[in-house]
Amino acid sequence: MKTRNRLLSASYWICIIFLVHACKSEDKNPAYCIQQGDFKATLTETGELLAVNARSVLMPYIGWKYGWQFKITGLAEHGSEVHVGDSVAQVDPANVQKFLLEQENLLEVEKANLTKLLVEQTNKSHELEARLREVQADYNLKKLELERYQFESERKQEIKELEFSQAKVHMNRITRSIELEKVIALNSRKIQEIKVAQIDSNIKQARDALGKLTVLSPLAVSYTHLTL
């Protein structure tokens, strides 16, 4: 009996020595170590978290005149809470400001061109009217001479008739020139006024576009994703 107890005791110590030797061996893999206490394990998972209730904010369309690529200079913090009307994104306004400055300068030039055109048309109209008065005076004179020479010789009457005919042709020509010049002046003025109106419209649209570059929140929510 004593021999059996000694054998069991020896086997017990051999197991203890084996376990201690296994834990102190160069292989430090925890899978081979026996520890006392609560078991703890760490699990690492990679990927992207999705919000349960997400909102996407779209950048308003501002037009093709200012280019297609815009830089975002400001953005609401990811996952932050915002209220209605709060800024959630700011787009670089450099392209729009450049276009606006160009259009404002062009507007001044075209307004000056319109003023110059009106002055030139007024001067030309006055010149044509003065020329018409001269031609009318000559026409009236030739007409009186023709009446006065009705008792003269046929040769003289023919000369006065030719002079009267020429005066009449001149008067008709200057009259048509004045009418044609009025039509040309009207069309030229309309074209220039349309240019000015178009540039003025571009300026208004550019100013509106500047306001759209600050994207505001339409809802009071917690934004986890912004689509611009």
Side-chain angles (χ1 to χ4, degrees), residues 172-193:
N172 292 335
R173 182 180 301 169
I174 193 65
T175 300
R176 289 196 300 270
S177 297
I178 291 175
E179 294 175 353
L180 181 60
E181 184 61 30
K182 288 180 179 180
V183 175
I184 295 175
L186 179 61
N187 292 334
S188 299
R189 187 166 62 251
K190 285 183 177 181
I191 292 173
Q192 190 61 31
E193 289 174 348

Short mmCIF file of all heavy atoms in Angstrom, two decimals, residues 172-193:
data_model
loop_
_atom_site.label_atom_id
_atom_site.label_comp_id
_atom_site.label_asym_id
_atom_site.label_seq_id
_atom_site.Cartn_x
_atom_site.Cartn_y
_atom_site.Cartn_z
N ASN A 172 -35.09 111.57 -102.46
CA ASN A 172 -35.59 110.23 -102.20
C ASN A 172 -34.50 109.32 -101.61
O ASN A 172 -34.76 108.50 -100.73
CB ASN A 172 -36.14 109.61 -103.50
CG ASN A 172 -37.40 110.31 -103.98
OD1 ASN A 172 -38.13 110.92 -103.19
ND2 ASN A 172 -37.67 110.24 -105.28
N ARG A 173 -33.27 109.50 -102.12
CA ARG A 173 -32.17 108.69 -101.63
C ARG A 173 -31.87 109.00 -100.17
O ARG A 173 -31.69 108.07 -99.37
CB ARG A 173 -30.94 108.94 -102.49
CG ARG A 173 -29.73 108.11 -102.09
CD ARG A 173 -28.56 108.44 -102.99
NE ARG A 173 -28.90 108.17 -104.40
CZ ARG A 173 -28.13 108.58 -105.43
NH1 ARG A 173 -27.02 109.26 -105.20
NH2 ARG A 173 -28.49 108.28 -106.66
N ILE A 174 -31.81 110.25 -99.81
CA ILE A 174 -31.50 110.61 -98.42
C ILE A 174 -32.65 110.21 -97.50
O ILE A 174 -32.44 109.83 -96.34
CB ILE A 174 -31.18 112.12 -98.31
CG1 ILE A 174 -30.56 112.42 -96.94
CG2 ILE A 174 -32.41 112.96 -98.53
CD1 ILE A 174 -29.24 111.81 -96.72
N THR A 175 -33.88 110.26 -98.03
CA THR A 175 -35.03 109.85 -97.22
C THR A 175 -34.96 108.35 -96.92
O THR A 175 -35.18 107.92 -95.78
CB THR A 175 -36.34 110.17 -97.96
OG1 THR A 175 -36.41 111.58 -98.21
CG2 THR A 175 -37.53 109.75 -97.11
N ARG A 176 -34.62 107.55 -97.95
CA ARG A 176 -34.48 106.10 -97.72
C ARG A 176 -33.30 105.81 -96.79
O ARG A 176 -33.37 104.88 -95.97
CB ARG A 176 -34.29 105.39 -99.07
CG ARG A 176 -35.54 105.34 -99.93
CD ARG A 176 -35.39 104.32 -101.04
NE ARG A 176 -34.26 104.62 -101.92
CZ ARG A 176 -34.34 105.38 -103.01
NH1 ARG A 176 -35.51 105.91 -103.38
NH2 ARG A 176 -33.27 105.60 -103.75
N SER A 177 -32.23 106.59 -96.94
CA SER A 177 -31.07 106.39 -96.06
C SER A 177 -31.44 106.64 -94.61
O SER A 177 -31.01 105.90 -93.71
CB SER A 177 -29.92 107.32 -96.48
OG SER A 177 -29.48 107.02 -97.79
N ILE A 178 -32.24 107.66 -94.37
CA ILE A 178 -32.66 107.97 -93.00
C ILE A 178 -33.53 106.84 -92.46
O ILE A 178 -33.36 106.40 -91.31
CB ILE A 178 -33.41 109.31 -92.97
CG1 ILE A 178 -32.43 110.45 -93.25
CG2 ILE A 178 -34.08 109.51 -91.61
CD1 ILE A 178 -33.09 111.82 -93.34
N GLU A 179 -34.46 106.34 -93.27
CA GLU A 179 -35.33 105.25 -92.82
C GLU A 179 -34.51 103.98 -92.54
O GLU A 179 -34.74 103.29 -91.53
CB GLU A 179 -36.40 104.98 -93.88
CG GLU A 179 -37.38 106.12 -94.06
CD GLU A 179 -38.36 105.87 -95.19
OE1 GLU A 179 -38.16 104.86 -95.91
OE2 GLU A 179 -39.30 106.67 -95.37
N LEU A 180 -33.56 103.67 -93.46
CA LEU A 180 -32.72 102.49 -93.26
C LEU A 180 -31.83 102.66 -92.03
O LEU A 180 -31.63 101.70 -91.27
CB LEU A 180 -31.87 102.27 -94.51
CG LEU A 180 -30.95 101.04 -94.49
CD1 LEU A 180 -31.75 99.76 -94.31
CD2 LEU A 180 -30.11 100.98 -95.77
N GLU A 181 -31.32 103.85 -91.84
CA GLU A 181 -30.45 104.10 -90.69
C GLU A 181 -31.22 103.95 -89.38
O GLU A 181 -30.67 103.47 -88.38
CB GLU A 181 -29.85 105.50 -90.78
CG GLU A 181 -28.86 105.84 -89.69
CD GLU A 181 -27.66 104.92 -89.68
OE1 GLU A 181 -27.28 104.43 -90.76
OE2 GLU A 181 -27.11 104.69 -88.58
N LYS A 182 -32.48 104.32 -89.38
CA LYS A 182 -33.30 104.14 -88.19
C LYS A 182 -33.45 102.66 -87.84
O LYS A 182 -33.36 102.27 -86.67
CB LYS A 182 -34.67 104.78 -88.39
CG LYS A 182 -34.65 106.30 -88.39
CD LYS A 182 -36.06 106.86 -88.59
CE LYS A 182 -36.05 108.38 -88.56
NZ LYS A 182 -37.43 108.94 -88.77
N VAL A 183 -33.66 101.83 -88.88
CA VAL A 183 -33.81 100.39 -88.65
C VAL A 183 -32.50 99.80 -88.15
O VAL A 183 -32.46 99.01 -87.18
CB VAL A 183 -34.25 99.68 -89.94
CG1 VAL A 183 -34.27 98.16 -89.75
CG2 VAL A 183 -35.62 100.17 -90.38
N ILE A 184 -31.39 100.18 -88.79
CA ILE A 184 -30.08 99.68 -88.38
C ILE A 184 -29.75 100.11 -86.95
O ILE A 184 -29.25 99.32 -86.13
CB ILE A 184 -28.99 100.16 -89.35
CG1 ILE A 184 -29.21 99.56 -90.74
CG2 ILE A 184 -27.60 99.81 -88.83
CD1 ILE A 184 -28.26 100.08 -91.81
N ALA A 185 -30.03 101.38 -86.65
CA ALA A 185 -29.75 101.90 -85.32
C ALA A 185 -30.58 101.18 -84.25
O ALA A 185 -30.07 100.85 -83.17
CB ALA A 185 -30.02 103.40 -85.27
N LEU A 186 -31.84 100.92 -84.59
CA LEU A 186 -32.72 100.23 -83.64
C LEU A 186 -32.21 98.82 -83.36
O LEU A 186 -32.13 98.38 -82.21
CB LEU A 186 -34.14 100.19 -84.19
CG LEU A 186 -35.17 99.47 -83.32
CD1 LEU A 186 -35.30 100.14 -81.96
CD2 LEU A 186 -36.52 99.42 -84.02
N ASN A 187 -31.83 98.08 -84.42
CA ASN A 187 -31.32 96.72 -84.24
C ASN A 187 -29.99 96.71 -83.49
O ASN A 187 -29.77 95.86 -82.62
CB ASN A 187 -31.16 96.04 -85.61
CG ASN A 187 -32.50 95.77 -86.29
OD1 ASN A 187 -33.52 95.64 -85.62
ND2 ASN A 187 -32.50 95.69 -87.60
N SER A 188 -29.12 97.65 -83.85
CA SER A 188 -27.82 97.72 -83.15
C SER A 188 -28.01 98.03 -81.67
O SER A 188 -27.33 97.45 -80.81
CB SER A 188 -26.93 98.79 -83.81
OG SER A 188 -26.68 98.49 -85.16
N ARG A 189 -28.95 98.93 -81.39
CA ARG A 189 -29.22 99.28 -79.99
C ARG A 189 -29.81 98.08 -79.24
O ARG A 189 -29.43 97.82 -78.09
CB ARG A 189 -30.16 100.48 -79.93
CG ARG A 189 -30.38 101.01 -78.53
CD ARG A 189 -31.03 102.37 -78.55
NE ARG A 189 -32.35 102.35 -79.16
CZ ARG A 189 -32.63 102.89 -80.36
NH1 ARG A 189 -31.68 103.46 -81.09
NH2 ARG A 189 -33.86 102.83 -80.85
N LYS A 190 -30.70 97.34 -79.89
CA LYS A 190 -31.28 96.16 -79.24
C LYS A 190 -30.22 95.10 -78.95
O LYS A 190 -30.21 94.49 -77.87
CB LYS A 190 -32.38 95.57 -80.12
CG LYS A 190 -33.67 96.36 -80.12
CD LYS A 190 -34.73 95.67 -80.97
CE LYS A 190 -36.05 96.42 -80.92
NZ LYS A 190 -37.10 95.74 -81.74
N ILE A 191 -29.33 94.88 -79.93
CA ILE A 191 -28.26 93.88 -79.74
C ILE A 191 -27.37 94.26 -78.57
O ILE A 191 -27.03 93.43 -77.72
CB ILE A 191 -27.43 93.74 -81.02
CG1 ILE A 191 -28.27 93.09 -82.13
CG2 ILE A 191 -26.17 92.92 -80.77
CD1 ILE A 191 -27.59 93.05 -83.48
N GLN A 192 -27.00 95.54 -78.51
CA GLN A 192 -26.13 95.98 -77.42
C GLN A 192 -26.85 95.94 -76.08
O GLN A 192 -26.25 95.57 -75.05
CB GLN A 192 -25.63 97.41 -77.70
CG GLN A 192 -24.53 97.88 -76.78
CD GLN A 192 -23.28 97.03 -76.87
OE1 GLN A 192 -22.98 96.47 -77.93
NE2 GLN A 192 -22.58 96.89 -75.76
N GLU A 193 -28.13 96.27 -76.06
CA GLU A 193 -28.90 96.21 -74.82
C GLU A 193 -29.06 94.76 -74.35
O GLU A 193 -29.05 94.48 -73.14
CB GLU A 193 -30.27 96.86 -75.03
CG GLU A 193 -30.21 98.38 -75.16
CD GLU A 193 -31.56 98.98 -75.52
OE1 GLU A 193 -32.46 98.20 -75.88
OE2 GLU A 193 -31.69 100.21 -75.44
#
